[in-house]
Amino acid sequence: MKRQLSDSVYEFQTPDGDFDVELVFFHGLCFSEYADAYETTWRVEDGIEGTRCWLRDLVPKTFPGARILAVSYDSCARVSDRAGRMSFSNLGIILVQDLIHLAKVGQRNRPVVLVGYCLGGLVIKQLCTEAERQLDYSPDGASKGRLDQFLTNVRANVFLDTPHAGTDLAKYLKKKEKCDGPVLEYLDSSSASLGHLNSNFESLATEREWEPFSCWYFRKTLVWSSVKLSNSGLQVVQEESARRGQGRFFCVDADHSGKASSGRRQLEQPLDQLEGFVADVVSKTKLPH
């Protein structure tokens, strides 16, 4: 049964008693609405079994001993009176509070795996670097303890078609759709802010010995969210942008449609790969008895 733990965090599963891993999912870029993206990003329309959701229907079967959470945040490309105004710096501060201090992720000495789709991968980087910044400067001993526990227990980061080096979609949305949301700055390949975020995160990941896991959706996209692209389609994320950094990498025969899954193959292939990766992460972690 899904329950809301804070303004930004929803829990889809927590086993009775203890759990052996925490899996935290971050949705991607939205066009004008984001309120349900924490769940709809992970849905697939399956002609055989109808609508299914990774976090509700599949991940709990694959990881029955996992605590499964999803994060909601303003990731809108278009500015309106209700959305599209959130800066990345403020987003990091909010998610540190909601995920670490309120939802208490990373506080049970269990491995934490952060899973981000599209922009969600960059949000993971912002969350982690903000947690490290607050750890260095916070005078509050209890707060520092929670931040340190979180960063210590993060074991891996999973990036699903994340444009680490930017994407042409940002330019397309700015020019063709007149979008001007501040999150688009972090999707622009020439952005100094994106370069700064990558540099800070990569230093932190090396220091903490986090293992990255990345995949690339290699089909061209004709429709992203509610935006129709050119007839020839758009390669939303280039392979070199999805590959940035060391670690495990694989390709998915699917397109970047604004959802993490849009068909049976796109649903099952990443989950199969993720299952083996998370099992390996857990096996490498010495859990207390």
Side-chain angles (χ1 to χ4, degrees), residues 132 135 147-148 151-152 154 203-210:
E132 179 74 9
L135 177 63
L147 294 167
D148 185 56
L151 292 167
T152 297
V154 169
S203 296
L204 176 60
T206 299
E207 177 186 345
R208 294 279 180 175
E209 298 182 336
W210 293 340

Side-chain angles (χ1 to χ4, degrees), residues 190-255:
S190 61
S191 167
S193 298
L194 176 59
H196 187 62
L197 176 63
N198 280 327
S199 177
N200 286 344
F201 177 80
E202 287 162 12
S203 296
L204 176 60
T206 299
E207 177 186 345
R208 294 279 180 175
E209 298 182 336
W210 293 340
E211 186 172 3
F213 174 90
S214 302
C215 76
W216 174 53
Y217 296 175
F218 61 77
R219 286 188 188 177
K220 285 189 175 182
T221 300
L222 295 175
V223 178
W224 173 80
S225 188
S226 59
V227 180
K228 182 175 175 57
L229 305 177
S230 64
N231 292 334
S232 60
L234 177 67
Q235 187 68 64
V236 173
V237 180
Q238 299 291 326
E239 182 176 0
E240 57 269 26
S241 186
R243 273 187 181 273
R244 183 183 176 109
Q246 301 299 312
R248 304 189 198 185
F249 179 84
F250 74 103
C251 301
V252 178
D253 183 11
D255 70 292

Side-chain angles (χ1 to χ4, degrees), residues 4-5 12 14 34-35 45 49 52 87 113 132 134 153 160 178-179 186 188 203 247 264-265 267 283:
Q4 188 170 2
L5 303 182
F12 281 78
T14 184
Y34 72 93
E45 299 295 333
E49 300 186 37
R52 292 188 292 167
S87 70
V113 177
E132 179 74 9
Q134 291 188 23
N153 288 319
L160 304 177
K178 309 303 181 185
C179 293
Y186 285 81
D188 190 328
S203 296
R264 176 178 289 272
R265 178 188 296 273
L267 179 76
S283 70

